[in-house]
Amino acid sequence: MRILKSHPLLRLVNSYLIDAPTPANISYLWNFGSLLAICLIIQIVTGVTLAMHYTPSVAEAFNSVEHIMRDVNNGWLIRYLHANTASAFFFLVYLHIGRGLYYGSYKSPRTLTWIIGTVILIIMMATAFLGYVLPYGQMSLWGATVITNLMSAIPWIGQDIVEFIWGGFSVNNATLNRFFALHFLLPFVLAALVLMHLIAYHDVVGSSNPLGISANYDRLPFAPYFLFKDLVTIFLFFIVLSIFVFFMPNALGDSENYVVANPMQTPPAIVPEWYLLPFYAILRSIPNKLLGVIAMFAAILALMAMPLTDLSKLRGVQFRPLSKIAFFIFVANFLVLMQIGAKHVETPFIEVGQISTVLYFAHFFIIVPVVSIIENSLVELATKK
Amino acid sequence: MKDRDKKWRKIRGRKQENEFERIANLSNLSGCPTPQRVATYSLSPNRQRVLAGAGHAAIFNVFRRFRHQVLYVVPPFVVAYAAMNWAIERNEFLNSKPGRLLEGGEEE
């Protein structure tokens, strides 16, 4: 027998990337996983390279990034790749989650995969936030100040926790150092979680498929069919990423972060990167600080409720017209939240944000269960002889 | 069969199955009947017509599929765009001179 099939580790490579029996009917929406793996690899490689010239000190961090941009050979390329791939990573992860919501990928037997995926999202967000602090521009400092201060909403011990995180009485040198350490560590935690994500679904029945039924009647081996199909989107991704990196590398960034951090001057608007805006909007739409913080974390954790709240007997919404409309309302609402997060806290953005927040949570906890019960009943009525 | 494979089978204590059989045996988990066996097909490359009807489908099948989905997808985005557009214009109005006068507040 070939070593590829008998070796304890290579056997896994074989069964995940070569022999994996993959549904023949999966669409291009099943390509995001491989793209996300590519993103993680790019981020780790460019990140480790950047760390070779970066200095995590409040006096030198900003200048060391400018040094990378101007003096280090191809440093500008490495940094722009790192910054823009971070955006691409989130763009693709939202599409990946959207695919999962649309096709019911969270339903049994892939519940564990879904739960691990949600944990991956949370750690990705933490990693991205920590990384954004490192250049120590204005938005780095003030973003870090706002987000770390969220912890002060915890009753009784909040302020102590915040000062513990800071390692002082404001965002300072100790904060920047520990953020650098954690930003270096977490991607490897992510890599481990990604392996768990893969193990979790390969060990049950592998990929789902657009029909939401068993794919056992028609499967193909992963290699060469899906290896090459994945390569199609990988090359497409490289083209789009190159357009960003080479022609508009700062399009998704904030010009305020090219101003060195100044604790004496608050910028006119403190906004996170675009991919965190929906959750920032949910945070700000609730007047009470503690409840706002709880709502923001609940908004991410709500994904974990999907296996419980989707009561439908069918997997996915492709054959359920009411749920399909609900899904696209949810997506449109998510985009509204994303815009609201970047607006000033003024009328009518406050009210629109509050309505959107209610709609966001209603989708998970009211709309999905109610609509799936209605559709179950309609199917039963229609099929009753 | 090599000794190593025999030994491996003995350790695992069951018949060695390929990935297709393994997935088929697990299929009870997904709530569907276990198929007796999984059929795999192959056709000679010389007999395949890889691009059969692709040109026709590129226009007519794409249009048919688009037509059946478009009313699920587009209306929510139209409403969302209209709502944001209204909010932005309303905000700009409220920050303008006539807006402040209308709201009855003092001009800053």
Side-chain angles (χ1 to χ4, degrees), chain A residues 4-134:
Chain A
L4 203 58
K5 295 193 179 187
S6 56
H7 187 278
L9 294 176
L10 290 181
R11 200 169 69 224
L12 282 181
V13 175
N14 177 66
S15 69
Y16 289 8
L17 290 177
I18 296 167
D19 279 352
T22 311
N25 60 335
I26 57 175
S27 70
Y28 269 99
L29 294 172
W30 268 256
N31 280 27
F32 297 127
S34 65
L35 288 172
L36 289 164
I38 294 286
C39 282
L40 184 61
I41 293 166
I42 293 175
Q43 287 305 74
I44 290 178
V45 171
T46 55
V48 169
T49 316
L50 285 170
M52 293 173 185
H53 285 274
Y54 173 74
T55 313
S57 124
V58 289
E60 301 198 27
F62 188 87
N63 288 333
S64 75
V65 172
E66 279 309 300
H67 164 71
I68 289 168
M69 294 295 287
R70 291 155 192 258
D71 307 327
V72 176
N73 288 338
N74 297 311
W76 60 274
L77 177 61
I78 304 288
R79 181 180 174 236
Y80 278 153
L81 267 175
H82 198 70
N84 284 288
T85 308
S87 280
F89 208 160
F90 275 95
F91 179 71
L92 293 169
V93 101
Y94 285 142
L95 292 176
H96 192 59
I97 294 168
R99 192 285 315 270
L101 289 173
Y102 190 90
Y103 289 106
S105 304
Y106 46 81
K107 283 176 98 84
S108 175
R110 296 182 190 83
T111 319
L112 180 62
T113 312
W114 183 258
I115 301 295
I116 296 170
T118 314
V119 175
I120 290 176
L121 175 66
I122 294 167
I123 295 191
M124 263 181 74
M125 286 177 164
T127 312
F129 161 69
L130 294 170
Y132 195 62
V133 179
L134 301 184

Side-chain angles (χ1 to χ4, degrees), chain A residues 86-362:
Chain A
S87 280
F89 208 160
F90 275 95
F91 179 71
L92 293 169
V93 101
Y94 285 142
L95 292 176
H96 192 59
I97 294 168
R99 192 285 315 270
L101 289 173
Y102 190 90
Y103 289 106
S105 304
Y106 46 81
K107 283 176 98 84
S108 175
R110 296 182 190 83
T111 319
L112 180 62
T113 312
W114 183 258
I115 301 295
I116 296 170
T118 314
V119 175
I120 290 176
L121 175 66
I122 294 167
I123 295 191
M124 263 181 74
M125 286 177 164
T127 312
F129 161 69
L130 294 170
Y132 195 62
V133 179
L134 301 184
Y136 218 57
Q138 272 288 66
M139 211 51 89
S140 301
L141 170 67
W142 290 98
T145 305
V146 168
I147 301 300
T148 49
N149 259 311
L150 295 181
M151 293 294 140
S152 71
I154 299 168
W156 188 245
I157 52 166
Q159 192 58 33
D160 291 325
I161 289 176
V162 174
E163 286 170 16
F164 173 72
I165 292 168
W166 284 337
F169 299 98
S170 66
V171 175
N172 65 76
N173 198 50
T175 323
L176 189 60
N177 268 278
R178 60 194 58 185
F179 277 20
F180 180 50
L182 291 171
H183 184 69
F184 206 111
L185 170 73
L186 287 180
F188 298 99
V189 176
L190 271 181
L193 282 163
V194 167
L195 282 180
M196 289 163 68
H197 196 60
L198 287 174
I199 291 168
Y201 87 93
H202 276 292
D203 213 55
V204 282
V205 289
S207 294
S208 61
N209 72 87
L211 292 177
I213 55 173
S214 168
N216 282 344
Y217 311 103
D218 197 1
R219 286 179 185 272
L220 294 166
F222 196 83
Y225 301 102
F226 296 98
L227 273 184
F228 280 87
K229 188 181 178 186
D230 280 347
L231 275 179
V232 172
T233 45
I234 286 170
F235 286 127
L236 269 175
F237 170 67
F238 284 162
I239 291 170
V240 175
L241 184 65
S242 300
I243 291 169
F244 271 91
V245 168
F246 294 114
F247 294 102
M248 41 190 206
N250 291 303
L252 299 168
D254 196 314
S255 54
E256 197 74 47
N257 222 29
Y258 279 103
V259 178
V260 67
N262 180 1
M264 301 299 284
Q265 189 190 30
T266 316
I270 302 175
V271 277
E273 291 284 82
W274 68 268
Y275 40 81
L276 298 178
L277 287 173
F279 302 99
Y280 193 58
I282 289 171
L283 167 80
R284 294 198 306 182
S285 70
I286 293 169
N288 180 290
K289 192 174 180 181
L290 179 62
L291 290 179
V293 174
I294 292 171
M296 185 181 69
F297 285 108
I300 307 169
L301 294 174
L303 285 169
M304 288 194 190
M306 281 306 283
L308 299 172
T309 56
D310 182 358
L311 302 170
S312 172
K313 288 175 181 167
L314 298 174
R315 178 192 302 280
V317 303
Q318 62 276 47
F319 303 121
R320 297 192 282 141
L322 297 177
S323 291
K324 196 183 278 184
I325 293 169
F327 172 82
F328 285 108
I329 290 173
F330 174 77
V331 174
N333 182 55
F334 190 76
L335 295 177
V336 168
L337 278 171
M338 196 177 275
Q339 291 181 67
I340 291 291
K343 300 285 184 217
H344 287 289
V345 187
E346 287 176 350
T347 299
F349 300 133
I350 300 170
E351 293 80 2
V352 174
Q354 286 170 342
I355 294 166
S356 287
T357 301
V358 169
L359 192 55
Y360 181 93
F361 284 105

